[in-house]
Amino acid sequence: MRGGAEVDLRGFIGRPRELQGLSVEFEVARALSQSPGETLLFTDIPGYAFPVVGNVITGREAVCRALGTDRDGYIRHVLRCYENPLEPVVVERAPCQEERCRLSDLPVLRHFERDGGRYITAGVVIARDEEHGFNASIHRLMVRDDGRLGIRVVPRHLHEYFRRAEEDGRDLEVAIAIGMHPAVFYAAAYSAPLGYSELSLAGALLGRPLEVARCGKVDLLVPARAEFVIEGRMLANERAPEGPFADVTGTYDHVRDEPVIEVLRITHRKRALYQALLPGSVEHRLFMGMPREPGIYRAVSEVAEVSNVCLSDGGCNWLHGVVALRKGRWRIEQVIERAFAYHRSMKHLVVVDEDIDIHDPLALEYAIATRFQADRDAYVYRDAVGSTLDPSGGEDGRTTKVGIDATIPPGRESRYEPARIP
Ligand code: MN
C-alpha cells in the first residue's frame, strides 16, 4: 500500500526544475510547450502568491508509473482495477481545507493567442445525482470574472446530471479539485459507465481508498489531498459564450453557449501548488487517450483475441487507434466496428498482427505498406459521429471513418515470412 505522501501531487512530482518570474499571460504556457519532457515549477509569478506546476506527466511511462504499472502491463492492470473499485473514505481534517482564497488569487494561465480567456485546465469536476451517485470528470473552465467560470460540457455524464437538475429547476452543485496525484486525474478521465464512481476507480489505481473530505458550501465529497477545491454551482437556465479554446489537436475549438458556474468558496492546502495542463501537450493528449485504451481493449476482446491497443501519438492520442490481434481467424470488420462504437472520436483505425509494435510509427507504416490492399482491406464509414475537435470534420462532429485491415490474411503466412539471416 502506498503511503500518504505518495498519493498526492507534491509527492508525485518530487523536486522539479524551477523557473522564476514568468507571467501567466503566455509565458508559462510557452515554457511548458518548450520542455514537454520535463516537469516544471514556476515561482515568483508576477501578481500571484501561488506557484504553478506543469508537465506533471512527461510521457506514457510517467502515466504507467503513476498507476503502479508499466507499458506492457498497463491495460490489464487498469482493467483489473476497474473491476475491483475501492470506495473512498471520509476524513474529518483535510489538507485541502486548510486555507481560503479567491478565484482571482489563482494563477490561471492564458495559453494561446486566440483563446477566449484564461483557462483552468487541470480541474476535476465532482457532482452528485440522486440516482447515479458521484461523478468526476475533467472540463475546461474559462475564468469569466472573480466569481464565475464558464464550463464546456460535452454530452456525457456531467451533462446528464446538469440536464436532470435543470429539468427540476435546480442548480447543480459542483466541486472542482485541482492538483492531485495523477492516478486520481487519470480516473476522472476514464470513461466508466454512468453510475460508476470515478473516485472508486481512483482508489483502486492508488492501491488504497481515496481519502475524501466533505465540502462546506455544497453537499459533496472531494479528494482530501487536492491542492485547491472550488465549491460552486452550475446555474440552471444560464448560458454564456465559451471559447475559442485551443484543444487537443492544437487547433481552436469554436465559441458555443455553455453553462456557467458560480463560485461559492475556494479552499486550499498550505503552500498550495496550482496545477496547469497545457492544451495539446503530451500530457493533455495522454490524459485524453490513455484512459480510453483499456475500454477499447475490452470492447474488441468480445470479437477477437487482442494483444494490445493504443491511441497513437501522431493522431493526438485521440483520433487514431491501433489494435494488435493474436493469430486467428477473426472478422476484422467486427473488430473495427467495436472499436469505433466504443471510442466515437476515433476516425482511423489500423488493425495489425501482434508482431507489430503498435507504439512504433515506422512498424505501423510497414504493416500498412506490406499487408494492406485498399480495395479489399479498407472499411469506410461515411457520415459517422466523430470528434468536433477534428478541424477536417463537420462542426457537429460528422466525419468519414476508415478502418484499415493490415493483418496477414490467414492461410497466406508463407508469402509474408520475414527473411532471416542464418
Ligand atoms: Mn462518469
Side-chain angles (χ1 to χ4, degrees):
M1 193 193 257
R2 299 190 218 186
E6 293 161 57
V7 295
D8 58 14
L9 176 65
R10 21 183 110 180
F12 183 80
I13 59 172
R15 289 183 165 273
R17 182 157 70 96
E18 189 175 328
L19 295 174
Q20 297 178 335
L22 298 186
S23 165
V24 296
E25 296 285 334
F26 306 120
E27 291 183 1
V28 171
R30 187 182 303 121
L32 290 172
S33 81
Q34 286 167 349
S35 301
E38 188 180 16
T39 302
L40 295 173
L41 180 69
F42 300 90
T43 55
D44 297 326
I45 294 171
Y48 297 92
F50 296 112
V52 173
V53 64
N55 292 348
V56 168
I57 289 301
T58 50
R60 199 169 269 274
E61 275 66 27
V63 175
C64 293
R65 179 165 61 85
L67 304 181
T69 182
D70 56 26
R71 190 184 275 242
D72 292 334
Y74 162 67
I75 286 183
R76 271 163 280 260
H77 173 74
V78 171
L79 287 175
R80 240 186 338 265
C81 292
Y82 174 78
E83 281 148 21
N84 299 282
L86 281 179
E87 286 282 299
V89 291
V90 179
V91 296
E92 292 308 325
R93 289 175 59 83
C96 69
Q97 293 172 337
E98 283 166 338
E99 293 179 8
R100 302 271 293 266
C101 71
R102 298 179 62 85
L103 186 55
S104 53
D105 295 327
L106 301 186
V108 182
L109 306 187
R110 191 184 303 273
H111 305 105
F112 295 95
E113 193 175 17
R114 291 208 291 111
D115 279 353
R118 295 190 298 135
Y119 271 90
I120 296 170
T121 48
V124 170
V125 180
I126 294 162
R128 198 176 62 194
D129 176 88
E130 285 218 342
E131 185 185 339
H132 300 302
F134 276 96
N135 191 70
S137 49
I138 298 162
H139 304 264
R140 66 190 196 225
L141 300 155
M142 187 173 90
V143 176
R144 304 194 65 83
D145 54 45
D146 195 23
R148 287 177 174 226
L149 297 165
I151 179 171
R152 163 76 171 140
V153 189
V154 296
R156 296 200 63 248
H157 299 167
L158 184 67
H159 189 274
E160 175 63 10
Y161 282 24
F162 184 52
R163 189 191 65 75
R164 288 159 63 102
E166 223 175 20
E167 221 171 59
D168 298 343
R170 286 184 292 113
D171 297 335
L172 180 70
E173 292 188 333
V174 291
I176 301 156
I178 303 168
M180 289 161 291
H181 188 279
V184 182
F185 199 77
Y186 175 98
Y190 199 87
S191 294
L194 192 63
Y196 181 108
S197 172
E198 288 83 2
L199 300 179
S200 300
L201 174 61
L205 293 169
L206 289 169
R208 55 179 253 174
L210 181 68
E211 292 181 354
V212 291
R214 266 180 251 284
C215 290
K217 297 279 184 185
V218 292
D219 187 15
L220 291 170
L221 298 169
V222 287
R225 290 172 169 276
E227 296 289 328
F228 291 91
V229 174
I230 302 173
E231 300 177 15
R233 50 180 174 237
M234 279 171 76
L235 302 173
N237 306 313
E238 187 145 336
R239 299 291 186 279
E242 184 279 325
F245 176 83
D247 211 307
V248 71
T249 51
T251 54
Y252 290 97
D253 196 4
H254 57 88
V255 179
R256 301 179 186 84
D257 282 335
E258 291 285 334
V260 175
I261 292 171
E262 181 192 6
V263 175
L264 299 173
R265 77 163 187 173
I266 303 180
T267 64
H268 63 87
R269 292 182 72 155
K270 284 196 185 104
R271 294 183 304 279
L273 283 172
Y274 175 82
Q275 188 184 355
L277 189 142
L278 181 70
S281 63
V282 168
E283 179 174 36
H284 181 200
R285 291 196 276 100
L286 290 177
F287 271 131
M288 293 272 287
M290 283 184 73
R292 286 266 157 172
E293 293 166 357
I296 299 170
Y297 182 99
R298 244 165 54 116
V300 174
S301 291
E302 289 172 13
V303 296
E305 215 177 307
V306 184
S307 143
N308 209 350
V309 166
C310 79
L311 290 169
S312 62
D313 296 342
C316 311
N317 303 103
W318 194 242
L319 301 174
H320 283 183
V322 189
V323 170
L325 300 179
R326 298 202 197 287
K327 235 19 215 155
R329 294 190 167 269
W330 316 118
R331 283 193 51 207
I332 303 297
E333 189 174 10
Q334 283 188 328
V335 167
I336 291 165
E337 286 173 5
R338 291 297 174 105
F340 280 149
Y342 177 82
H343 180 47
R344 297 204 310 180
S345 293
M346 193 197 295
K347 183 167 72 168
H348 299 142
L349 173 68
V350 184
V351 184
V352 296
D353 298 298
E354 64 181 320
D355 64 316
I356 300 295
D357 175 1
I358 63 171
H359 294 291
D360 176 359
L362 297 182
L364 200 62
E365 189 176 350
Y366 172 81
I368 296 170
T370 61
R371 301 177 183 182
F372 168 74
Q373 283 291 308
D375 61 341
R376 176 189 75 199
D377 299 322
Y379 298 85
V380 179
Y381 305 88
R382 284 171 220 281
D383 198 32
V385 178
S387 172
T388 57
L389 300 176
D390 168 12
S392 75
E395 285 201 354
D396 58 355
R398 305 305 286 192
T399 193
T400 299
K401 302 193 176 194
V402 182
I404 291 171
D405 174 3
T407 61
I408 296 172
R412 301 202 49 204
E413 286 82 357
S414 61
R415 181 136 165 72
Y416 295 83
E417 187 192 331
R420 307 249 180 244
I421 295 174

